[in-house]
Amino acid sequence: MSTDTKRQRAVWLTGVVDRASCHHSDVTLVFVDQLRHKGDGPPFPEVLVPWLRDLRDRCPAGVPLDRIEGAIVLIGGLEPWEGSRLPPILDHSSDYVRACAAHMLGRAGHGESDDDHEGLYDADFIAELTTKELARPGIAGPYWSATGLMQSDFSQLGFDPTEWMLGIIERRNGLEPVSLPFNGIDFHIHELAAGDPRAVRRLIEADRADLAIMTATEIRDEVAGMTPILCEMADHADLRFAVPAQIHLAKYHGMLHPRADPERIRYLPGWRDDARVFAIRYGESDRFPDQAVIFPGRNAAFDEAQAEAIVDMALPPDRRGELARHYLESYDADPAPYRLGCDELRSYVSGAHVARIGAIEQPGWRRIEISAGRLADRWGPWSWSESTGSI
């Protein structure tokens, strides 16, 4: 598509939005909100920025002024500034506009070091950004969101993003605004620190159990050193934090916490001599989906024959139906097991799913996960009210 055609299409689209908003008051706000993600490539700013400025002057009902001003920043870029590393707009009265401006700083590469020997970031820039974030949270996360960098990008470069974010969470003046246009520090820390029990401990000590449980349960597997922290959180008085910890212990660590709700998590002894079985119910009580998680009982892993026998016992072929295309496969793929790393995932026409989780240091499977809606409702031999029996 030529540049002129793109320009004409942008003019046409803004006209459509204006006309539609006369009959549907939410159209303009939705369109402006979508400009967070697109519209800054040429030639669109030369059409969109004047349109946004006119929109700001019109003050249409139902469209907050700061949403329009934030879009102007995202599409038109930051106004030039002098005398400091950070632009004055980071002191704007609106947290939304500040976040948009911080995002543009990251997108444009501000703060990146010009000296390869000093690492990726200018230490003075990070210090100023941190000071401003501590005084009034809401800009560090949107800035980081735009950089596209990861923890591994900073290996041996003198800057640890996890440490930086933990320090902010521990010292900042209040919480992040709830309506940021981009992910904040609270989101990023649960990914960066997911495999770090020490970081989770610091989040607990910072009185952020919400972030601690998100971080401790982010990795869908057992994390070395995380078990004691999960056990502690499973004792939390607030079920929003206790239940996810209890479920994570059962599903990935093969542990039944003493306080686990028996209507949600069950250990089924005696189901099979060579297996340990946990039954887990997720979600709300009136529409629980069930999952069975099966660990080796004696050996470190199931061999292929054991795995086949266990799946057939838990989910007989006549109940699971034929093998179906796994949702991660391409749409034209034939039904087949899907390999994901050392794991094997299978979907069936009944809607059931079976995941065989590969052993790390030897052949075989160290865990089998079976998900199929309401197991007890659909497969009579196993009843949730019983502690033993077939699944």
Side-chain angles (χ1 to χ4, degrees):
M1 186 181 295
S2 70
T3 298
D4 190 56
T5 300
K6 291 180 180 179
R7 187 182 299 107
Q8 292 175 18
R9 294 290 287 179
V11 171
W12 168 82
L13 181 57
T14 55
V16 169
V17 171
D18 284 337
R19 291 189 295 274
S21 65
C22 295
H23 306 285
H24 306 282
S25 58
D26 60 338
V27 169
T28 301
L29 179 57
V30 171
F31 179 69
V32 169
D33 184 64
Q34 288 300 307
L35 294 180
R36 288 181 298 146
H37 311 294
K38 54 184 72 74
D40 60 325
F44 301 118
E46 65 186 71
V47 175
L48 292 175
V49 171
W51 178 81
L52 286 165
R53 287 173 176 162
D54 177 67
L55 189 68
R56 179 183 57 189
D57 295 339
R58 286 187 274 138
C59 295
V63 185
L65 182 61
D66 64 350
R67 298 300 191 269
I68 302 173
E69 293 183 341
I72 291 173
V73 171
L74 294 172
I75 301 300
L78 296 168
E79 296 290 338
W81 75 94
E82 296 179 354
S84 64
R85 287 182 173 83
L86 302 179
I89 195 172
L90 291 184
D91 295 316
H92 196 281
S93 59
S94 165
D95 290 324
Y96 189 93
V97 175
R98 295 173 67 244
C100 290
H103 194 75
M104 289 303 295
L105 283 175
R107 189 186 297 179
H110 289 282
E112 295 181 10
S113 176
D114 294 328
D115 188 341
D116 292 338
H117 299 290
E118 294 181 359
L120 287 176
Y121 274 144
D122 181 329
D124 292 334
F125 176 92
I126 292 297
E128 289 191 22
L129 185 71
T130 301
T131 298
K132 199 170 286 292
E133 171 74 12
L134 292 175
R136 188 179 166 196
I139 58 173
Y143 171 80
W144 178 263
S145 296
T147 64
L149 298 171
M150 299 182 295
Q151 179 89 23
S152 58
D153 293 320
F154 295 90
S155 177
Q156 300 178 347
L157 289 178
F159 178 77
D160 184 344
T162 300
E163 184 67 28
W164 175 55
M165 294 182 191
L166 285 171
I168 287 173
I169 291 169
E170 292 168 335
R171 297 181 292 144
R172 66 188 175 195
N173 180 27
L175 302 177
E176 289 178 324
V178 296
S179 58
L180 291 179
F182 303 100
N183 288 326
I185 289 295
D186 287 2
F187 172 84
H188 291 299
I189 192 63
H190 97 278
E191 293 190 336
L192 288 176
D196 187 350
R198 177 194 61 86
V200 177
R201 171 63 59 193
R202 286 177 62 178
L203 291 171
I204 294 173
E205 293 173 352
D207 198 25
R208 292 304 306 272
D210 57 332
L211 299 184
I213 192 60
M214 286 172 58
T215 307
T217 60
E218 170 67 9
I219 295 177
R220 298 180 180 182
D221 212 335
E222 183 175 0
V223 173
M226 199 70 79
T227 305
I229 293 176
L230 285 166
C231 288
E232 178 182 330
M233 298 206 71
D235 274 322
H236 202 286
D238 192 326
L239 294 180
R240 294 176 302 167
F241 313 136
V243 171
Q246 294 164 6
I247 289 176
H248 207 78
L249 285 168
K251 182 171 181 177
Y252 301 111
H253 297 244
M255 294 177 57
L256 180 67
H257 190 269
R259 289 190 57 194
D261 180 357
E263 293 304 311
R264 221 177 243 287
I265 306 169
R266 292 275 182 91
Y267 173 57
L268 307 181
W271 182 76
R272 186 178 164 111
D273 290 342
D274 59 351
R276 294 181 298 118
V277 182
F278 293 83
I280 303 171
R281 287 192 147 173
Y282 296 87
E284 301 175 10
S285 58
D286 61 339
R287 49 180 182 271
F288 274 134
D290 296 340
Q291 183 175 62
V293 184
I294 307 171
F295 295 85
R298 294 186 295 268
N299 301 320
F302 294 120
D303 61 29
E304 194 65 32
Q306 285 177 307
E308 289 288 347
I310 284 171
V311 172
D312 285 347
M313 182 175 174
L315 191 61
D318 62 328
R319 290 175 179 161
R320 67 183 182 241
E322 296 294 326
L323 191 66
R325 179 189 63 83
H326 194 272
Y327 70 90
L328 292 176
E329 269 286 12
S330 59
Y331 286 104
D332 57 351
D334 293 329
Y338 183 81
R339 297 294 303 199
L340 184 64
C342 60
D343 304 337
E344 183 184 274
L345 314 179
R346 302 189 185 201
S347 295
Y348 296 91
V349 294
S350 64
H353 300 276
V354 176
R356 304 183 188 193
I357 309 304
I360 297 175
E361 297 179 350
Q362 65 183 71
W365 312 103
R366 59 192 168 99
R367 187 173 73 248
I368 298 174
E369 301 172 3
I370 300 176
S371 305
R374 297 293 293 265
L375 290 172
D377 293 346
R378 296 180 63 181
W379 300 312
W382 178 67
S383 171
W384 185 261
S385 62
E386 299 174 357
S387 60
T388 61
S390 297
I391 296 177

